[in-house]
Amino acid sequence: MSDRDSSELESRTRYDPAEVEPRIAARWLESGLFHPPAEGTAAENYSIAIPPPNVTGSLHMGHAYQDAVMDALTRRHRMSGQRTKWILGTDHAGIATQTQVERLLVSEGTSREQIGREQFEVRVWEWREQYGGQIIGQLKRFGASCDYDDERFTLDAHYADAVARVFVALYEKGYIYRDRYMVNWDPGSRSAISDLEVEEREVTDTLFYIDYPLANGDGLVTVATVRPETMLADTAVAVNPGDDRYRGLIGETVILPLVGRELTIIEDAYVKPEFGTGVLKITPGHDPNDFAIGRSHGLDEISVIGEDGLITAAAPERFRGMTAMEARAAVVSELREQGSIRREDPYEHTVPFSQRSGERIEPLVSLQWFMSMDELANPAIEVVREGRVRFHPPSNTRVYMDWMENIRPWVISRQLWWGHRLPVWYRGDETYVGVSPPDGEGWERDPDVLDTWFSSALWPFATLGWPDHTPELRAFYPTDVLVTARDIIFLWVARMIMMGLEFTGEPPFSDVHIHAIIQAPDGRRMSKSLGTGIDPLDLIEGGPRPPVFAEGGAFPAYGADALRWGLLAMASSQDVRFSEERIAQGLQLTNKLWNAARLILLGVAPDARPGLAPVAVEDRWILSRFERASNEIGERIERYDFSHAALALYDFVYGELCDWYLELVKPRLRAGEPDVAATLLHVLVGTLALSHPIIPFVTEEIYGFIPGAKGLLAAGIQLERASVDNGAESSVGRVIEAVQAMRAWRDFSEVRAGAIVPARLGASGYDDTREHLARLARLSFSSDGGDPVASVPVPGGVVEILPSAEVDTGAAERKRDTRRATLEQEIERSERKLANSGFVEKAPADVVRAEREKLERLRAELGAL
RNA sequence: GGGCGCGUAGCUCAGUGGGAGAGCGCUCGCUUCACACGCGAGAGGUCGCUGGUUCGAGCCCAGCCGUGCCCACCA
């Protein structure tokens, strides 16, 4: 270590992430370490494809957590020497991006319709130029070790070509087809959307009971509906075939009020006799159930509500041009006037809303492109069943299977302008589907674009150059693991598996880690619109504490390491509340590690090097404990159990390395013992390497000060392994217990904190650690002296406290009484347990033996008092 | 309606059959030459409720209560 290093370490008494992290991030990026050569095979290499964030989005807490997980995995594998690629890119995010730009246009007093499609696309690309780099910059600041030299975008020319090829191939196989069918129409985005983009919300509507007179004038039937305006499109009335009340009416006709159309009374088992009146109006044009019934009975499909949300020419003249809600009011008012409404009840139920626009879904029959999923689903079910793709935790397997086994066709066309335009052209009745435009005159391209998730489904291989047989594809596909939250298992994970199998013959990853969702501190969803979001960058660099926190004020600059550690530590179950305390704990950990390193690096000789040369029992102890911690943390990470890995790391650094080992060896370090310097450096470097995947910045920074260290810690290091040493563990474990017992006694007995207390060691097993006990408990051992004023039990015997001015005998006496009472209680409990014949006969022998030994110990201690 | 979770110290959470733990907060004591974003020692839980299995239950089983999320075509 140079003098400059030394004086720098001397002065930097606190770890300052705000100063360190940007500097380290820059070194990583310059190193080229994150851009692996496209060599070897996917089996020997390691790769993860990032769930591509929206191109114009910014890093939110979900990303931060997910990226901490992926980076821990990526860094760990890279350090082990594998070629490791974290595939990076962004998603064009059709509806989301288009909506943002449309909002901008509105604020400029124009609209996409006014400026036209071509100009609109220009504006979106401009928007992308302006905001597209933001999240990438944030990932760099976060320390995510993605391959930034190889960034993809789902609308790149090559990617677009892959999308078109997939479309054409599936069309040629007959899986993709055009059809008039009922879809979820989102009036907000004026597009069809898929079932997965719809969410059900509780609303209170009015249930209207409306009389439909029989055509023969002989009475009427009453139907119940919450959407009276759709009656304008009724094409039948249905009853349950087993419903005796209406059996005689089947085949009869009723007159549709306000319209006058004759409707046949049909029978269908779907109708629930107990609901309403047991008579259901059938509106195939505006209700998914009615649509199905209509198709099976061959009914007409009338659309009285158009894609613009207005009443169409299919309805009576006087309703035309009204919005659906206006039409409802008009219909109800006319029905009321003619006395056709028999009842109105408030009715609570769930109705579909668009997740995107938040508007109520209008089910419509529409001409759209669909994709049949059954053929693709079967192999995707098979790979999971065979365990070639595994979910972690495994409970998600069932969620996946249930959905896949009941999969329905997917509406893939969207009436948007931002996205992959369908590779489809029309001329009169002709349809042409191909990757390039058809020859000849008069062809018109389909204006629609594909659902964003269609292109996302190709992500793991389209990013690597598919359909070309690139070296990247060979080296990094299939990827190893997919890390995501459970909300996109269907939207994305399932579809990637299906597409991967169909087009590459292999599943795109072998493991799927479904991680916890971080909720706001108050338990609500973290979301910008709810005001419950927390910006990860505010935690990293310091920023205002948002209103979800009661305290207010500003976050300190915790740094990316603290955020990463905190997020990993807090998230074990499927939902977890955000806890700022955990982030603060992460900062403590980085500061602790920094200062432990300062102690070691400023204490050892300049020519000291890491080495395995344990001489004292505590050296063997720390090496053994490190070995265990290393194994445990490694296993936890490999099993996607990041919270326990993070907590185990904290426990090792605090509870073993700093609290005990460093305290135990301070005298030897000051004395300049070369062996202890070697062990200290060895353990320090080992700890840095072990923690690097979780807290990369501070570990890299410290590594730069290790004497003789070359290159980057992120590249991995060679470290000789020690072995577990049970003897050393038990010997040091014993002295730790003894020190704690002595400190507790001192505190209780009100002995002055700094006082050295004369004592006599009346316990065995301290041959190697007698001096440690004396120093850490501030005792001065002697072999003579008068009667002890107190006797403190420690493992293997007692420490007898000799009279001195430092010890208040009254306090010592109180201590003794308390201890006596505790001992008596515990002895009674233990005796009772051992007197229980059931326990002695049935419990395992070692449990019983341990209980007997404990009882003896307690009795001996009581005797000594 | 079906499924997946959760309910343990004031707060956020570990703990899956043999004497209740961590971090933060709180109390007491320490300006001990790595760190006051520090060190040491404490106080504080009938482990949601009720039954059951077991020699023994925070942990296993059943039911109930509370709470969060996902899926689902009852007008």
Side-chain angles (χ1 to χ4, degrees), chain A residues 93-108:
Chain A
I95 296 182
T97 309
Q98 172 157 337
T99 307
Q100 285 180 319
V101 177
E102 284 195 69
R103 228 175 265 150
L104 174 72
L105 293 176
V106 167
S107 76
E108 292 173 0

Side-chain angles (χ1 to χ4, degrees), chain A residues 55 91 414 490 586 710:
Chain A
V55 63
D91 194 289
R414 295 288 178 278
F490 311 136
K710 290 184 187 68

Side-chain angles (χ1 to χ4, degrees), chain A residues 119 161 221 233 486 500 520 536 539 644 739:
Chain A
Q119 192 53 36
D161 182 56
V221 295
R486 63 184 183 283
L539 287 161
H644 289 99
V739 168

